[in-house]
Amino acid sequence: VVTQPAYTQPAGCLYCGGMGYHMPECSHPTQVALRKARQEKTEADKKTAAEQAEFQEDEEMGEAYNSGETSAFCDYVPYRLAGNKAFLEHPDPVTETSVLGAIRPPPITHKIIIPRGTIQEGRLTNVQLESIFYACQQHEKFLPDKR
């Protein structure tokens, strides 16, 4: 019993050597167009599914925001210094957008020398110190033109 592939064309195809059916890799214009159409449909289906998922997520976030479950702002916590008892907590509430709160800052790699009394006497808070650390860390980097 001989089985033929799913792609069939009339016998005598010049592209397939007159075998009577087209292989999926055949360069016959009809096969090329069929492969391209299938690929475009697959890509469109993937895009549509991704758009639907994104739309659904946006709808859920909108409903949660409108119902008061979430807020556009959240309390700011200096992530890399959190829990360190050596640093004074900032006395005032500090907020940031919820979007920024969802992203973790880079690690602090800069070694800075601050007089011990400045920290022990609570002259700088954890939020202020974090700003100083990141500012100094950025100043260690060179621009693309090596300045």
Side-chain angles (χ1 to χ4, degrees), residues 80-138:
R80 300 291 176 182
L81 303 180
N84 190 331
K85 302 296 182 198
F87 303 123
L88 178 70
E89 292 288 322
H90 199 72
D92 294 321
V94 180
T95 60
E96 66 182 336
T97 63
S98 297
V99 174
L100 285 176
I103 300 170
R104 296 290 170 232
I108 296 173
T109 57
H110 182 75
K111 304 292 185 218
I112 190 167
I113 299 172
I114 296 177
R116 186 178 306 256
T118 303
I119 294 174
Q120 287 177 344
E121 294 170 15
R123 293 183 189 161
L124 294 173
T125 65
N126 56 357
V127 173
Q128 293 167 326
L129 284 167
E130 183 186 51
S131 297
I132 292 169
F133 290 146
Y134 282 123
C136 291
Q137 188 167 313
Q138 283 302 109

